[in-house]
Amino acid sequence: MNEPTPELGTPMPDLAAQLPGPVSAAPPRPTVTPPEYRLVPPPSVPLPPLADHPSVPLPGDPVPHSAPPRSSPGVPGPRRPTMSGGLPAVTAPPRVDGRRPAPPTRPRDPRPLPPQVGGPLPALRRVGGLRPVPAAPGRPGSVTGPAPAPTPQAAPVAPGSESRLLAGRHQARPGGLAAHLHTHGPLPRAELSGRQGARRLIELVELAGLRGRGGAGFPTARKLAAVTNAGNIRRTPVVVANGCEGDPTSGKDALLLHLAPHLVLDGLALAAHAVGADEAMLCVHRGDPLVEHLERAVAERTDDPAAVHVVTAPTRYVSSESSALVNYLTRGDARPTSAARAAEQGVQGRPTLVDNVETLAHLALIARHGPDWFRARGTADSPGTTLVTVGGSVVGPGVFEVDMGMPIGRVLGLAGGTSTPTQALLLGGLGGSWLPMPSAVDVELSHEGCAAGGTGLGVASLVAMPAAACGLRATALMLRYLAAESAGQCGPCMFGLPALAEDLDAAATGTMDRELSARLRNRLEIIPGRGACRHPDGAVRLVSSALDTFRRDLTNHLYGRPCDAVDASIPPVLRELSASDDGGWR
Amino acid sequence: MSGGEWIGLRVDPIGCRAHGLCQELLPELVTLDEWGYPMVAGRPVPPELVGEARRAAAACPTLALRLVRAGPPVR
Ligand code: SF4
Ligand code: SF4
């Protein structure tokens, strides 16, 4: 149960020894078939069957589960953080969606219904409209490039809705440096050089009001300043770009890293410069098909002051938490810690800035266009745009770039609206909340808007829950997963989450005893805030919101009325969760 | 650390092994949850209990129970 806590004296992984050599010495990379792109016509044109060619990592897609059951801790020898240079060449066929191949078909609801979201929606361009599709078999390596793009006037684009982060998606090879420079132009390196420039950069971020896009929404300038101040000659700061998208409902980081790796790397270079770091790490999950793509991007760059390493971390839900990443990069253990804040004592005891990759991409745009440009979109408290992943029972699931503060109904509209009667939305991923429909459509996708709606923005993802499914059953499945993904270090998390899962199972199957309700409420009260990380807090938030949102189901089950909902109507992203097997935490 | 200073109790959730000793020594401020893990009152330790609290912290086999200067949450 309780694994021994890592000893502080454990030798640190020798990062430098495992680093890829200088750029010129990099081994030749296998050529990868560039993805083929197809432009989806604007919504005024009949849409092609969307479900067959998911745009991006689709939360709704069935994931093949070939993972063996979780192994016992007997992993042979401690695995050290794998520096990408040491990885064997990946021989798997290139994947075009940045995560997994598009499945041939998706089960569709037998009763397709018109979108439920408030009638005709304003004509907005699908940001996720350009979707990589697998190269047709028999034509290996064929590059058709982007389909002829409609002239700007032809596309019904609402004013101010041009995409920023995904602006380069029309390029033939969107990941390359040339395409990146063509789309965004060079970084104003000269203006931001030196200590003066570094200070100026933090000032710009402060004026822009950029908030972290990883979930917590912490002001980025405050973090930059904290790391800068903690750094000194003996403790040079480190910057970590967090691309470990832990939440299965979110695919935006994978899309961003696929389409605009150089925007993220620009942001990483700028952040490193701002805090005076000499080393930067771009972390993604182990086995992520993006690794090679990112290494290629890193190798293309020559002007960055700090050395950038692509690092792969264990594929676990909580290993994307900031203290878990720091722990992994320091001791090779990807479990969260209750140690000091990363800004003061992070990787190898050095002041460390951990920022989500999307945050860094915004930073790169703020440096180019300035704070006023950034604030021209979004709200005063949540400025700018954000990437949001929409899945579940919507017509066209995908990742969309939207203005912060956009009402959820309009976001659903970008995804073509709901595809079947929808009872609730999951906002903020597995540690987020259920919002009942139809009132959810009025909640605004911003930190203050979500707070007003009694929830938090969290991971910017939405999953639409069909009315035909049992919300309690879905939540029970999610809780099982969250419980299995606990790092098993803190009692209230390690015992509390399985207990919650059991309560929900009982509630969902109608086998509960009379005390269940009171017991469950009590557990929901005592668990939050008592783990080293926020994992249990998220689980509690999810369950609490489920009890409110699916109150009718709960009452029905309480009175022993059978539930006629079938599991098959639960969106696959919530139904087919299975705890990852990544050889533990190393 | 006397007189005017606020003192609070904190449990390091990773260090705590649910020995429950703290609850025996400091029942006024520590209760155990259904799994045997301590829940500490999130308010200042009253001055007359500071000595007891200190003893309880020292007795914790894993030193997971700590006296902290009360203020904004540490994390
Ligand atoms: S709260 Fe849970 S997930 Fe977080 S560190 Fe503790 S045991 Fe691990
Ligand atoms: S004495 Fe220490 S280990 Fe035991 S329950 Fe209290 S805090 Fe936890």
Side-chain angles (χ1 to χ4, degrees), chain A residues 2-3 5 321 336-339 489-491 494-496 499 523 526-527 530-532 534, chain B residues 10-18 31-40 66 74-75:
Chain A
N2 275 348
E3 292 183 43
T5 34
E321 200 260 348
T337 62
S338 36
Q489 306 187 102
C490 316
M494 140 169 80
F495 296 107
R523 285 175 174 168
I526 62 155
I527 293 174
R530 292 177 56 221
R534 302 278 160 82
Chain B
R10 210 175 141 237
V11 177
D12 169 11
I14 295 182
C16 173
R17 290 288 183 271
T31 47
L32 298 184
D33 67 14
E34 57 182 296
W35 307 287
Y37 287 86
M39 299 187 287
V40 294
R66 281 170 214 158
V74 180
R75 284 170 68 88

Side-chain angles (χ1 to χ4, degrees), chain A residues 103-382:
Chain A
T105 51
R106 278 160 55 76
R108 303 206 69 162
D109 192 276
R111 303 156 298 156
L113 283 164
Q116 304 287 306
V117 198
L121 286 147
L124 286 168
R125 189 172 55 170
R126 295 178 53 107
V127 168
L130 186 69
R131 43 195 57 199
V133 296
R139 298 184 316 161
S142 70
V143 188
T144 56
T151 54
Q153 307 94 299
V157 176
S161 76
E162 297 81 13
S163 57
R164 291 175 165 182
L165 300 174
L166 307 181
R169 70 194 187 284
H170 296 295
Q171 304 281 352
R173 299 191 51 180
L177 186 58
H180 166 71
L181 291 173
H182 183 260
T183 305
H184 296 289
L187 273 181
R189 289 183 198 266
E191 286 140 63
L192 297 171
S193 66
R195 286 320 300 157
Q196 193 82 21
R199 267 196 297 277
R200 173 86 190 122
L201 188 58
I202 298 181
E203 221 172 84
L204 290 177
V205 176
E206 163 112 57
L207 289 170
L210 176 63
R211 299 174 69 164
R213 298 294 199 257
F218 194 79
T220 306
R222 291 234 302 265
K223 245 156 95 167
L224 285 167
V227 175
T228 309
N229 294 337
N232 59 43
I233 203 103
R234 280 175 302 127
R235 302 196 316 149
T236 324
V238 183
V239 180
V240 176
N242 189 352
C244 297
E245 206 161 29
D247 199 286
T249 66
S250 180
K252 56 123 183 154
D253 290 342
L255 177 72
L256 180 66
L257 287 172
H258 172 70
L259 289 180
H262 284 290
L263 206 53
V264 175
L265 290 170
D266 279 353
L268 191 54
L270 288 167
H273 172 58
V275 302
D278 61 352
E279 213 176 345
M281 292 162 196
L282 173 53
C283 293
V284 293
H285 277 149
R286 191 178 292 153
D288 193 320
L290 282 168
V291 171
E292 274 192 66
H293 180 66
L294 296 174
E295 284 176 337
R296 257 196 311 276
V298 168
E300 269 185 297
R301 303 171 67 92
T302 48
D303 297 337
D304 293 343
V308 179
H309 322 303
V310 179
V311 183
T312 58
T315 312
R316 302 297 299 261
Y317 188 81
V318 295
S319 65
S320 54
E321 200 260 348
S322 155
S323 77
L325 271 186
V326 165
N327 192 19
Y328 180 68
L329 294 170
T330 306
R331 288 178 214 94
D333 179 354
R335 292 179 299 177
T337 62
S338 36
R341 287 192 325 172
E344 275 127 39
Q345 280 222 314
V347 176
Q348 299 165 7
R350 296 153 69 184
T352 302
L353 178 81
V354 184
D355 264 335
N356 171 262
V357 289
E358 185 192 334
T359 311
L360 293 171
H362 284 295
L363 178 63
L365 291 176
I366 291 168
R368 283 179 168 91
H369 307 296
D372 293 340
W373 171 89
F374 186 73
R375 283 187 172 277
R377 308 271 296 271
T379 68
D381 280 346
S382 305

